[in-house]
């Protein structure tokens, strides 16, 4: 979402290749419906269609959301190592990484009141990166679970409305109750003090890179022709998504033994393995959008039996030091100097190259500027100096645009650093004596499988149905 | 006993549709670079609705295909479509096909860009529809594969697919049909025709498309009497006015020769138009198909003609024959 302040700014100049900013800019001038249609047509022809022929027909353009803003930010939690993700988690907790490929466009409706099209894809509001939200994924997997392990009664007989039926369903299935929890939805239930309960599954969003526009044109009954094309912004197909799901096992409370954790997770995984490939993900999934092809699954578990040991990670899992602290520790556990933070955010890849090029250009122009200032008596020097100054201004603006996200990221990094420092200061006295005679080591271990049946095969293995 | 005991698996119909003529489903740039599920779903919905209307099932469309979210008593589709186009490959179509019209009138011709060929995997999964509706849906699917088309531009030759393994489905019982829904397009007003040629299938795709278009031009030309403009546009479509009632395929392989198919429903709109003229329209179409265009494939050809209106007495039996599931 482009912020209103930016849109209201007369000097707001969208970046040439940025679909989202260009769309927002066009929307800014709309005052009535006809304007909106015209701006949409303009946008479609300029940005949504690639290699158009003389009649304006062409392929759907893919908008790649790569920008300096997408430098590693920690948003994509699926990229974390097993040690980072499961550090400090209680025994029998587990993490699943489910990899799939999108076969058809994925529709993820966003709530953007000021967008050029009525159906924008859901994007991170700061970075513009498309994603399928964690809440959607929880809902989609709960739906799959209800189909995979239905109640003996029909769904509609479970209550007066869906929240009521969901509650009844989960109360009747202890696995479902542990996995998804119970939402009270504000209702007061007789003889229950606190009807809500947190689920053990924790979902993360699935991030994507590419967007495209789609059009749907419903046929009118009286003419058998479509006359109102509706555009949808969608996550483009042929991308791989990785869903991270963590099962938090509250060790020490009732039903927190290994068998229970495994049974819960096996049922959840079998449900999504069985139903997601036929039902798809996202909006309009029943109409064929958001179809997935299963590619891979990785299980990472804390202290599970029968999983390949990964002893190298023992120390990390047992340290009890939060991830945000270890991020700033050196090999001996000391806090890194704050001066090293800047170097961590050195831009890489395309953005880094662009920054380097612009920096070199600026250096060259500044040298020329100095030269011209020293030789103003030369013919044409003043005129050239004027041009050079203008070019330097332009470069400064471009550099600002590229550096802004980095500065934001640096601020966030510094905030985390301060938290880490506070934590270490507070725990230093306590941590030292724990080094000798620490409690039993929890082993992190992993198991992975690939192919269209990998999710189901792993579910069978977790449940003990496969050796 | 394990945690996975009682796992319910989807009740799905899986199809591997091989394209006999290229498949096109439109797109934001009216380009066939991607396969769009909405085009395929719209076709399945329309075709199954035609069968349901013909057997008098007024609740089918609401129960199976759901409603928009702003409708009263709205609900989601009770089936799910999965589209896997990884077995298809993109192909370039001839950009334009045209030839001089016999009456000397200039025209722009027919424009194409790209489409797909290969195998399209479709899966339809039940989410809560009744057994009778599931039966109707599968019967419709079988008829659509055997006699009709998929996707868009099927009035210009595209979208014929077949599948060697069709879904197993019980035949329709005569007692389960009631009078057709009034004023709704249905298969009781459908025509299905196939013209089979002994001549070998032309290797050139442009020629295969051109033959289909010549048959279309020939039939369209038989509705050029004075005062028939509106009827002609209604039957064959006109940009910005009507979607056509009739679809014409390009030539596709058939045995050692080739074939093309013509199918449609007339009237095809709600409210219906030209309903009183239907018998004469069908008669004229059949005569034109019998005669054929002057510029066509040489050699022997056979016309297989089926008109739903001629089967009102044995309608269930006719549907079963079309679906290839005769009891």
């Amino acid at each position: 979402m482009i912020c209103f302040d930016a849109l209201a700014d007369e000097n707001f100049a969208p970046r040439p290749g940025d679909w989202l900013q260009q769309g927002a800019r066009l929307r800014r001038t709309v005052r009535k419906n006809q304007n909106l249609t015209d701006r949409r047509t303009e946008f479609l022809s300029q940005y949504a269609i690639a290699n158009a022929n003389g009649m304006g027909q062409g392929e759907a353009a893919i908008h790649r959301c790569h920008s300096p803003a997408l430098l590693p930010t920690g948003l994509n939690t699926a990229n974390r190592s097993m040690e980072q993700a499961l550090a400090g988690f209680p025994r029998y907790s587990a993490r699943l990484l489910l990899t799939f490929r999108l076969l058809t466009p994925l529709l993820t409706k966003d709530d953007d009141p000021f967008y050029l099209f009525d159906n924008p894809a859901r994007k991170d509001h700061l970075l513009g990166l498309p994603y399928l939200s964690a809440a959607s994924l929880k809902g989609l997997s709960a739906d799959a679970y209800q189909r995979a392990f239905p109640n003996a009664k029909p769904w509609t007989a479970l209550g007066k409305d869906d929240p009521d039926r969901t509650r009844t369903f989960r109360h009747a299935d202890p696995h479902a109750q542990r996995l998804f929890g119970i939402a009270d939805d504000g209702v007061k239930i007789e003889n229950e003090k606190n009807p809500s309960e947190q689920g053990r599954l924790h979902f993360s969003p699935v991030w994507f890179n590419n967007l495209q526009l789609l059009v749907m044109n419903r046929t009118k009954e009286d003419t058998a022709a479509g006359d109102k094309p509706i555009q949808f912004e969608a996550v483009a197909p042929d991308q791989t998504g990785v869903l991270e799901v963590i099962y938090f096992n509250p060790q020490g409370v009732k039903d927190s033994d290994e068998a229970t954790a495994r049974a819960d997770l096996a049922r959840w995984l079998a449900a999504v393995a069985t139903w997601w490939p036929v039902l798809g993900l996202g909006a309009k999934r029943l109409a064929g959008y958001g179809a997935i092809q299963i590619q891979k699954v990785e299980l990472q578990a804390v202290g599970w039996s029968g999983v390949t040991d990964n002893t190298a990670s023992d120390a990390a899992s047992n340290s009890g030091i939060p991830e945000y602290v270890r991020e700033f520790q050196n090999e001996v556990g000391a806090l890194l100097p704050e001066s090293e933070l800047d170097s961590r955010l050195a831009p890489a890849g395309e953005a880094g190259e662009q920054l380097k090029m612009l920096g070199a250009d600026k250096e060259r122009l500044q040298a020329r500027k100095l030269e011209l200032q020293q030789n103003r008596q030369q013919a044409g020097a003043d005129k050239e100096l004027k041009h050079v100054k203008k070019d330097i201004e332009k470069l400064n603006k471009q550099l600002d645009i590229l550096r802004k996200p980095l500065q934001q990221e640096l601020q966030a990094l510094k905030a985390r650093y301060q938290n880490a420092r506070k934590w270490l200061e507070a725990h230093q006295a306590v941590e030292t004596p724990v080094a000798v005679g620490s409690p039993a080591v929890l082993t992190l271990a992993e198991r992975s499988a690939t192919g269209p049946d990998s999710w189901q095969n792993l579910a069978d293995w977790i449940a003990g149905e496969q050796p | 006993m394990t945690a996975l005991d009682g796992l319910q698996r989807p009740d799905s119909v899986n199809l591997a549709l091989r394209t006999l003529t290229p498949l096109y489903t439109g797109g934001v740039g009216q380009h066939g670079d991607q396969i769009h599920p909405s085009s395929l779903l719209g076709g399945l919905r329309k075709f199954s609705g035609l069968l349901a209307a013909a057997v008098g099932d007024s609740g089918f469309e609401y129960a199976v295909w759901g409603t928009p979210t702003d409708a009263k008593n709205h609900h989601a589709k009770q089936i799910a479509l999965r589209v896997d186009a990884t077995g298809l490959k993109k192909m370039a179509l001839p950009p334009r096909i045209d030839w001089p019209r016999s009456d000397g009138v200039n025209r722009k011709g027919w424009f194409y860009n790209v489409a797909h060929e290969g195998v399209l995997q479709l899966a339809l999964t039940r989410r809560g529809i009744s057994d009778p509706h599931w039966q109707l849906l599968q019967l419709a699917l079988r008829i659509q594969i055997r006699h009709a088309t998929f996707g868009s531009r099927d009035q210009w030759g595209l979208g014929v697919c077949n599948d060697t393994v069709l879904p197993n489905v019980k035949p329709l019982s005569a007692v389960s049909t009631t009078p057709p829904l009034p004023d709704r397009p249905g298969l009781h007003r459908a025509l299905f025709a196939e013209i089979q040629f002994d001549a070998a299938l032309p290797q050139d795709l442009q020629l295969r498309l051109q033959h289909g278009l010549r048959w279309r031009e020939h039939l369209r030309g038989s509705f050029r009497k004075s005062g028939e403009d509106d009827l002609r546009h209604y039957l064959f479509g006109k940009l910005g006015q009507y979607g056509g009632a009739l679809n014409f395929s390009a030539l596709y392989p058939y045995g050692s020769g080739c074939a093309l198919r013509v199918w449609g429903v007339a009237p095809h709109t709600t409210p219906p138009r030209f309903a009183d003229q239907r018998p004469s329209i069908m008669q004229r179409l059949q005569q034109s198909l019998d005669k054929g265009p002057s510029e066509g494939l040489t050699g022997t050809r056979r016309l297989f003609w089926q008109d739903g209106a001629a089967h009102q007495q044995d309608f269930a039996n006719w549907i079963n024959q079309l679906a290839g599931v005769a009891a």
Side-chain angles (χ1 to χ4, degrees):
Chain A
M1 187 193 291
I2 304 295
C3 78
F4 289 130
D5 288 349
L7 289 174
D9 183 357
E10 287 294 332
N11 297 319
F12 168 61
R15 287 192 291 268
D18 192 320
W19 159 325
L20 308 174
Q21 286 196 357
Q22 295 290 346
R25 178 68 183 181
L26 287 169
R27 179 69 176 82
R28 182 177 179 270
T29 58
V30 170
R31 295 291 178 270
K32 51 188 179 183
N33 280 346
Q34 186 53 48
N35 288 156
L36 189 58
T37 308
D38 293 345
R39 294 291 84 78
R40 284 175 178 170
T41 308
E42 187 182 337
F43 181 88
L44 289 174
S45 62
Q46 285 185 16
Y47 300 101
I49 301 168
N51 309 319
N53 63 19
M55 292 181 288
Q57 299 173 341
E59 299 164 12
I62 300 297
H63 177 57
R64 296 179 207 287
C65 303
H66 296 298
S67 82
L70 302 182
L71 292 169
T73 60
L75 272 181
N76 193 352
T77 55
N79 281 344
R80 292 180 298 171
S81 67
M82 172 167 67
E83 292 77 15
Q84 286 176 318
L86 290 175
F89 270 75
R91 186 186 288 271
Y92 308 137
S93 296
R95 178 191 192 214
L96 284 171
L97 294 169
L98 307 178
T99 307
F100 59 86
R101 179 170 166 243
L102 278 181
L103 293 174
T104 54
L106 171 69
L107 300 174
T108 56
K109 181 141 166 82
D110 206 351
D111 181 23
D112 187 340
F114 211 68
Y115 201 62
L116 187 61
F117 297 99
D118 294 336
N119 302 288
R122 182 170 281 217
K123 297 176 281 288
D124 179 83
H125 287 184
L126 288 176
L127 306 179
L129 192 63
Y131 68 99
L132 181 57
S133 76
S136 296
L137 287 156
K138 181 180 177 185
L140 288 163
S141 70
D143 171 80
Y145 186 94
Q146 285 158 201
R147 294 179 189 286
F149 300 102
N151 192 289
K153 287 184 187 172
W155 179 251
T156 48
L158 294 180
K160 63 180 188 307
D161 54 20
D162 274 347
D164 202 23
R165 291 165 192 153
T166 302
R167 207 164 30 248
T168 310
F169 178 87
R170 293 183 191 170
H171 275 307
D173 181 340
H175 298 283
Q177 183 163 345
R178 284 191 294 272
L179 287 166
F180 303 109
I182 300 278
D184 66 6
D185 289 325
V187 291
K188 286 197 170 72
I189 299 172
E190 212 177 330
N191 300 328
E192 284 194 44
K193 275 187 183 170
N194 179 12
S196 68
E197 180 182 321
Q198 196 173 8
R200 294 185 184 181
L201 283 184
H202 291 248
F203 294 82
S204 298
V206 177
W207 298 91
F208 298 97
N209 285 316
N210 300 339
L211 290 172
Q212 70 165 104
L213 277 170
L214 303 173
V215 66
M216 295 185 205
N217 199 356
R218 195 185 157 93
T219 302
K220 282 180 71 188
E221 287 192 332
D222 58 339
T223 61
D227 67 343
K228 280 190 186 141
I230 302 170
Q231 288 84 20
F232 289 79
E233 191 180 58
V235 176
D238 294 328
Q239 294 183 75
T240 299
V242 183
L243 166 61
E244 179 197 53
V245 181
I246 294 184
Y247 181 92
F248 176 85
N249 187 51
Q251 197 190 0
V253 308
K254 191 184 162 212
D255 295 328
S256 63
D257 55 296
E258 183 179 355
T260 303
R262 292 179 78 129
D264 288 351
L265 209 54
R267 282 167 76 90
W268 180 84
L269 184 57
V272 298
T274 308
W275 287 89
W276 278 2
V278 292
L279 297 182
L281 303 175
K284 290 199 175 288
R285 62 184 183 135
L286 303 180
Y289 290 92
I292 62 163
Q293 185 179 53
I294 291 172
Q295 289 191 322
K296 187 181 174 189
V297 62
E298 290 165 79
L299 165 73
Q300 298 164 354
V302 184
W304 279 30
S305 52
V307 192
T308 314
D309 286 358
N310 186 340
T311 45
S313 58
D314 288 356
S317 67
N318 194 39
S319 66
I321 300 172
E323 163 58 21
Y324 72 88
V325 176
R326 285 195 287 112
E327 184 184 359
F328 300 104
Q329 284 179 302
N330 63 16
E331 313 80 59
V332 293
L335 189 69
L336 293 168
E338 192 170 357
S339 56
E340 283 191 17
L341 296 185
D342 286 334
S343 62
R344 279 198 182 193
L345 284 180
E350 202 180 313
E353 288 303 313
Q354 212 177 342
L355 268 175
K356 262 189 211 166
M357 272 171 49
L358 292 174
D361 284 352
K362 190 179 165 185
E363 217 169 280
R364 185 179 50 76
L365 285 171
Q366 273 173 333
R368 180 64 185 153
K369 183 180 149 190
L370 193 66
E371 201 180 321
L372 289 166
Q373 280 170 337
Q374 287 166 351
N375 300 293
R376 296 188 80 149
Q377 68 281 10
Q378 280 182 4
D382 277 349
K383 200 175 173 185
E384 192 185 343
L385 187 61
K386 213 172 162 181
H387 284 302
V388 169
K389 281 180 179 173
K390 267 191 182 171
D391 288 345
I392 291 175
E393 269 174 39
K394 271 187 204 168
L395 278 177
N396 281 337
K397 275 186 186 169
Q398 284 176 284
L399 284 165
D400 280 349
I401 290 171
L402 285 170
R403 284 174 179 154
K404 198 174 174 183
L406 291 175
Q407 284 160 357
Q408 288 169 345
E409 183 61 19
L410 186 61
Q411 278 174 5
L413 191 69
K414 283 184 173 170
R416 291 206 302 275
Y417 181 83
Q418 293 306 329
N419 287 337
R421 179 154 65 187
K422 281 179 198 163
W423 191 94
L424 279 173
E425 282 167 5
H427 290 78
Q428 214 160 15
V430 184
E431 285 299 304
T432 318
V434 180
V436 181
S438 59
V441 169
L442 291 182
T443 306
L444 285 186
E446 57 190 330
R447 183 183 179 97
S448 65
T450 54
D453 298 325
S454 56
W455 296 9
Q456 183 61 56
N457 290 342
L458 184 67
D460 291 341
W461 178 83
I462 294 173
E465 290 188 3
Q466 256 187 24
Chain B
M1 186 170 163
T2 78
L4 300 187
D5 287 345
L7 172 69
Q8 300 294 304
R9 296 187 184 278
D11 183 357
S12 302
V13 163
N14 294 292
L15 297 166
L17 298 178
R18 177 167 289 285
T19 58
L20 295 181
T21 70
L23 181 65
Y24 173 91
T25 56
V28 70
Q30 295 176 51
H31 207 73
D33 52 309
Q34 291 179 329
I35 291 296
H36 293 280
S38 53
S39 171
L40 298 166
L41 180 104
L44 295 171
R45 178 179 183 146
K46 178 79 184 167
F47 203 89
S48 59
L50 292 174
L51 174 57
V55 299
D57 190 334
S58 58
F60 176 86
E61 189 139 3
Y62 174 79
V64 175
W65 295 106
T67 65
T69 47
D70 55 357
K72 195 180 167 189
N73 296 328
H74 78 265
H75 72 92
K77 291 172 190 62
Q78 292 302 297
I79 63 135
L81 172 69
R82 173 189 159 90
V83 177
D84 180 352
T86 48
L88 291 174
K89 65 173 192 215
K90 203 159 69 171
M91 64 184 296
L93 298 179
R96 179 169 174 254
I97 296 180
D98 196 19
W99 57 88
R101 255 174 72 154
S102 56
D103 55 9
V105 174
N106 278 332
R107 69 173 167 212
K108 290 179 182 169
W110 292 269
F111 292 88
Y112 300 89
N113 43 63
V114 295
H116 286 80
E117 64 179 354
V119 176
L120 173 70
Q121 306 273 353
L122 292 184
L124 281 163
T125 300
R126 290 178 79 164
R127 295 180 69 241
I129 63 172
S130 64
D131 288 342
H133 283 163
W134 187 232
Q135 181 195 15
L136 274 185
L137 187 62
Q138 291 183 84
L139 283 168
L141 202 50
R142 288 184 66 111
I143 298 171
Q144 189 172 358
I145 294 167
R146 287 162 54 90
H147 300 282
T149 44
F150 290 82
S152 313
R153 303 251 166 109
D154 49 351
Q155 74 280 34
W156 292 3
L158 309 184
V160 179
C161 301
N162 78 351
D163 188 335
T164 47
V165 186
L166 294 172
N168 277 324
V169 56
K170 273 198 320 189
L172 192 65
S173 146
V175 291
S176 62
T177 66
T178 51
L181 302 180
D183 298 341
R184 296 287 301 172
L187 288 190
H188 58 297
R189 291 168 174 161
L191 76 92
F192 296 103
E194 186 170 60
I195 302 124
Q196 297 168 358
F197 302 89
D198 285 345
L201 179 73
Q203 289 303 301
D204 183 1
L205 176 62
Q206 174 149 351
L207 276 178
R208 300 204 292 262
L209 287 164
Q210 188 170 317
H211 277 294
L213 292 170
R214 281 194 184 276
W215 278 80
R216 182 178 187 274
E217 180 195 48
H218 168 65
L219 263 68
R220 195 168 184 268
S222 62
F223 290 89
R224 287 197 178 276
K225 288 182 190 159
S226 170
E228 285 192 334
D229 285 358
D230 198 31
L231 172 62
R232 187 173 67 254
H233 295 155
Y234 184 75
L235 291 175
F236 295 90
K238 186 172 190 222
L239 192 64
Q241 191 177 353
Y242 294 119
L246 300 170
N247 302 293
F248 295 79
S249 83
L251 289 173
Y252 52 84
Y254 182 86
S256 57
C258 57
L260 62 82
R261 63 180 65 164
V262 180
W263 79 276
V265 173
H268 63 305
T269 58
T270 305
R273 299 200 59 203
F274 306 105
D276 54 336
Q277 296 179 45
R278 190 180 185 282
S280 67
I281 292 169
M282 289 299 129
Q283 191 181 23
R284 230 193 293 178
L285 287 171
Q286 190 177 5
Q287 284 168 353
S288 297
L289 284 168
D290 258 335
K291 190 177 168 209
S294 53
E295 304 274 336
L297 282 182
T298 53
T300 314
R301 67 168 188 257
R302 293 165 297 282
L303 168 66
F304 290 86
W305 166 269
Q306 308 207 53
D307 177 5
H311 295 275
Q312 300 308 298
Q313 300 309 313
D314 62 339
F315 192 72
N317 192 31
W318 183 62
I319 289 297
N320 291 332
Q321 277 179 10
L322 286 175
V325 293

